[in-house]
Amino acid sequence: MKIVDLRTESWEKNSELLRIKNRGQGLESKYAQSVLEIIENVKKFGDSAVFSYAKKFDKIELTPENVRVTEEEIEEAFKKVEPEVLEAIKVAVTRVRKFHEHQKENSYFVTEPGMLLGQKVTPLESAGIYVPGGKASYPSSVIMNAVPAKVAGVKKVVMITPAIGSFEVNPYSLVAAKLSGVDEIYRVGGAHGVAAIAFGTESIPKVDKIVGPGNIYVALAKKFLFGTVDIDMVAGPSEILVIADESANPDWVAVDLLSQAEHDELAGSFLVTHGEEVAKAVIDALEDRLKKLKRREIAEKSIENFGTAFITRDIYHSCEVANIVAPEHLEVATKEPFALLDHIKNAGAIFLGHYTCESLGDYILGPNHVLPTGGSAKFFSPLGVYDFIKRSSILYVSKEGFKQISEHARNLAECEGLEAHRLAVEVREAIKIPIKTEEKV
Amino acid sequence: MKIVDLRTESWEKNSELLRIKNRGQGLESKYAQSVLEIIENVKKFGDSAVFSYAKKFDKIELTPENVRVTEEEIEEAFKKVEPEVLEAIKVAVTRVRKFHEHQKENSYFVTEPGMLLGQKVTPLESAGIYVPGGKASYPSSVIMNAVPAKVAGVKKVVMITPAIGSFEVNPYSLVAAKLSGVDEIYRVGGAHGVAAIAFGTESIPKVDKIVGPGNIYVALAKKFLFGTVDIDMVAGPSEILVIADESANPDWVAVDLLSQAEHDELAGSFLVTHGEEVAKAVIDALEDRLKKLKRREIAEKSIENFGTAFITRDIYHSCEVANIVAPEHLEVATKEPFALLDHIKNAGAIFLGHYTCESLGDYILGPNHVLPTGGSAKFFSPLGVYDFIKRSSILYVSKEGFKQISEHARNLAECEGLEAHRLAVEVREAIKIPIKTEEKV
């Protein structure tokens, strides 16, 4: 893990920090055309297109009869899951639901003489959750995507996940889906799976919003279909940034950094500290832990690519660096973490204190683990209940309310050269209202 | 305006309603490559790319010295605006700000023994507003995009608008921008303008989020840059749907329908009523008004393309049809409009009662006029303060809090095969903590 000293240099001039700051700005346009073609074909040909792509990419023969996962399969899955894991999944679902209940929003209105203005909150009717397939099983990801939708009041939550080579869907995912309240599950994935739930096909339902992580094809398909449906943030490789002072346990920090590095060769693991010896101690512990790690190869490459220890002037300078990086996960491993909260502007989730390791948040605490990556914490939020509702503005004026403001609306319509907009006001200003309609209204 | 009778036919079988329902699913992939090329070039070459595209598309010679609109130009603009329009703009800014103040959100937290969980709300640092250029002037659009950003607490609001052929930017837009609190204005537009504020160039600043309507090039650029920055909804042609009963004034309804039709040949104007004679009366009034309209040609084409009167079984059936169309603007011109509010699920803005014409909402009432189009009211919301803030999750556990839940996190990490995630829990479970660190923490 390389050390970068920011004590003397201003960050604008530091190439390593700039490289990390701009990590999220890639635009894989080389896949654009093929993904657009997949989308067009699924839109035109529905099932037949989806099933032929499934055969081509996932090596599986799908039919309208077998594409949906059956209740029997789900019951079977429950038998395959170890008791302690089933218990953990239940606790996670309960805690995640409990936390997200606090994100529910109310409709609201305000009044003025002769006026009522507000917004009505309505849950989306349907939502689609993308769950990556293959060998890796991430029940926690199913929980974190499905529970907020159900808490929001979404009636139909549809999960899609590719069954690659075999029909079996990962049992942990099925159990998590069932316990999270997922309503329908389809064994289809990739850009063609995303397009299928965006438009709907003969055997796969259309949804209003698509959430969940996937490979570059899935990410591009979501991006291109934004507008046809709503989508969540564009997810990239996972990241952690740890702000540490001398009170931190170097071994604990090292393991937390590795818990990102083991995810992905492009994952980011950043240490920021004003204590040079803290940095050295963490790096020693990290090298030590790295040797014994099962996923050593991935973790090592990851640390090579995006593993950096930044030395800062003081703890506030450390917060500045964190804000520039805008990490997905930010651990504040310092004596007084709450004292720094006002200084931290950009982070997906902020883990305060020595015992709050990221894994707790990933699995069990309650806040969502679907978080903005690649620096997008500057403008994106964690996935939440607010992602599964929409607002409709409410406007009402009485005849009296109308009279108080009609003149200004008329003048602006005039200025914008929109005659009928102006007329709509004038006919109601009783200037040109025939007696008949006066009686009527 | 054609009449479609839905009293006997189920809507799934009605081709006209299906055509309207799916109006928003176009995917103009034919422009994709050229827009992606523009984005790549602006990212690589900054100013020089932006300025050469401005020369090519907008026929204007931009330089780092002249691209930004000066304070002098803004002062000049104030002299050009008529007093009654200036007054109307001031009233609009005040009312829009007042309404949007109610959308501010608080950070929140909940506690459990040894735990604190919550979310911190932070305004975006910067936002970019796209304002279409050319002859048409839409000060109201500047207000509706800029005010929510400033109410949210965005420090730097940047407006871009193309100066096509001449350097002068529309004075109404400049005045509206100044009064709305816009901080910087640049005379650049198109896909190259959007890319410029997405990446930042030598003379144009980078922003965190880009909002505002534009042509297909602007819309695609925003879509492709989603992730590099945040964007608002994808805006399409404007639409109105009026639910009317016998209490409605046919002439008023007709003028309201035309106030959409005059916007754009692809704008939608839909009447939904269970009274056949109401439909006939509205259509007569509409034909009559149409003859005298300045923008007659546009409005006529628009009514041809997307002008339909639906006859329904009863007023609740009318609400169902409205929910299927999910219009940008929904007027409820009935005797008891508030009684129908629960039945209305999908609409950008709902105008209740005979006096609440859409123009009032477009200009002066306070709620935002940037609304989801093309049926996206099923999942998008009006632009609001909530579009200019982001949330960071807050997680804290003490040693005691940690002990209560660590086991389940460990089991899930184990199940997902993430060793370092499990280790991060185990080292803190004091199983493997060396004495030294026990003292330390």
Side-chain angles (χ1 to χ4, degrees), chain A residues 33-44:
Chain A
Q33 275 311 325
S34 50
V35 170
L36 283 166
E37 188 190 318
I38 291 170
I39 292 173
E40 299 279 12
N41 284 329
V42 171
K43 187 183 175 189
K44 267 204 218 94

Side-chain angles (χ1 to χ4, degrees), chain B residues 192-214:
Chain B
H192 51 289
V194 172
I197 52 173
F199 296 115
T201 70
E202 300 88 327
S203 57
I204 301 168
K206 176 188 183 1
V207 297
D208 292 328
K209 179 163 186 166
I210 302 173
V211 301

Side-chain angles (χ1 to χ4, degrees), chain A residues 240 242 252 256 329-333 337-338 349-362 365, chain B residues 114-117 394-399 401-402 405 424-425 428 441:
Chain A
I240 187 169
V242 182
W252 296 12
D256 294 356
H329 307 95
L330 171 61
E331 283 187 5
V332 186
F338 284 92
I350 306 168
F351 300 77
L352 299 165
H354 300 296
Y355 276 91
T356 317
C357 57
E358 190 211 305
S359 334
L360 289 188
D362 288 342
L365 276 175
Chain B
M115 295 184 200
L116 182 145
L117 306 169
I394 306 295
L395 304 90
Y396 165 77
V397 296
S398 66
K399 189 172 181 174
F402 177 85
I405 41 132
V425 176
R428 288 170 168 89
V441 179

Side-chain angles (χ1 to χ4, degrees), chain B residues 158-268:
Chain B
V158 176
M159 172 172 138
I160 60 170
T161 185
I164 298 157
S166 99
F167 280 92
E168 202 201 343
V169 174
N170 183 286
Y172 297 104
S173 299
L174 290 184
V175 165
K178 185 69 180 178
L179 293 172
S180 302
V182 170
D183 299 288
E184 300 178 15
I185 305 171
Y186 296 84
R187 61 186 108 240
V188 59
H192 51 289
V194 172
I197 52 173
F199 296 115
T201 70
E202 300 88 327
S203 57
I204 301 168
K206 176 188 183 1
V207 297
D208 292 328
K209 179 163 186 166
I210 302 173
V211 301
N215 60 22
I216 177 63
Y217 285 91
V218 171
L220 276 176
K222 282 168 64 182
K223 196 184 271 208
F224 291 148
L225 287 163
F226 178 70
T228 300
V229 293
D230 190 16
I231 65 169
D232 61 347
M233 68 205 85
V234 181
S238 195
E239 316 154 336
I240 188 170
L241 185 147
V242 182
I243 296 176
D245 66 11
E246 65 292 338
S247 76
N249 179 316
D251 187 47
W252 296 12
V253 173
V255 175
D256 294 356
L257 289 168
L258 287 175
S259 71
Q260 286 311 306
E262 74 175 344
H263 264 303
D264 185 334
E265 293 177 2
L266 291 176

Side-chain angles (χ1 to χ4, degrees), chain A residues 345-346 378, chain B residues 121-126 149-155 208 385 388-390:
Chain A
K345 307 292 181 196
N346 304 328
K378 291 195 179 88
Chain B
V121 174
T122 314
L124 305 188
E125 276 171 43
S126 58
K150 291 313 273 187
V151 170
V154 176
K155 280 198 205 71
D208 292 328
V385 171
F388 297 99
I389 59 105
K390 43 89 186 275

